[in-house]
């Protein structure tokens, strides 16, 4: 009854920008933390950035100063603004939310992923 849907991925040249969006919907009581992970070919999935319901943010060292995570609590939506993109940013980006459903169930939910490709 809870779904996360990502959008905004695509192909961009090095130095360009993209903005990813992720909207959560369904039987949601509250959302604690929302974030973005990414997985490149041959690599493990890694945390890119996350944000709490109170607005505290956390970034991977590799994206600090280039990426910005934000959140619209009224819309249950999280965004990732990606600037100065590099070829090494190429990966599938996954949205994640740690939330409580109206039933009382608490756990992690994942989106299907959106491809970001940065050409040199």
């Amino acid at each position: 009854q809870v779904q996360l849907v990502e959008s905004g991925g695509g192909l961009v040249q090095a130095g360009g920008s993209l903005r990813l969006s992720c909207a959560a919907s369904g039987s949601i009581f509250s959302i604690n933390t929302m974030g973005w992970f990414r997985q490149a070919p041959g690599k493990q999935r890694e945390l890119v950035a996350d944000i709490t319901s109170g607005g505290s943010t956390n970034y991977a060292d590799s994206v600090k100063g280039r990426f910005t995570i934000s959140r619209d609590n009224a819309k249950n939506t999280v965004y990732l603004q990606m600037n100065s993109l590099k070829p090494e940013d190429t990966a599938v980006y996954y949205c994640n939310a740690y939330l409580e459903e109206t039933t009382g169930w608490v756990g992690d939910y994942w989106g299907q992923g959106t491809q970001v490709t940065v050409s040199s």
Side-chain angles (χ1 to χ4, degrees):
Q1 294 185 353
V2 176
Q3 293 186 339
L4 274 60
V5 180
E6 304 107 327
S7 62
L11 175 64
V12 65
Q13 291 186 336
S17 298
L18 286 173
R19 191 189 193 204
L20 306 183
S21 299
C22 173
S25 62
S27 55
I28 300 169
F29 179 74
S30 63
I31 301 178
N32 183 2
T33 304
M34 300 188 77
W36 293 93
F37 291 72
R38 68 185 181 187
Q39 187 166 22
K43 303 289 186 179
Q44 292 187 334
R45 187 173 298 187
E46 64 176 352
L47 174 68
V48 178
D50 60 24
I51 183 168
T52 69
S53 59
S56 297
T57 59
N58 178 56
Y59 296 92
D61 288 340
S62 59
V63 306
K64 286 181 179 177
R66 299 189 297 121
F67 292 9
T68 302
I69 190 169
S70 61
R71 177 172 176 170
D72 186 335
N73 290 332
K75 297 181 179 179
N76 288 331
T77 299
V78 64
Y79 307 92
L80 186 68
Q81 179 66 47
M82 304 185 293
N83 298 325
S84 302
L85 283 162
K86 304 174 180 179
E88 50 263 45
D89 294 318
T90 296
V92 177
Y93 284 70
Y94 296 92
C95 179
N96 171 262
Y98 188 74
L99 57 83
E100 181 179 356
E101 295 187 49
T102 55
T103 61
W105 172 261
V106 178
D108 268 325
Y109 291 84
W110 293 88
Q112 292 297 117
T114 184
Q115 177 70 47
V116 172
T117 303
V118 184
S119 62
S120 60

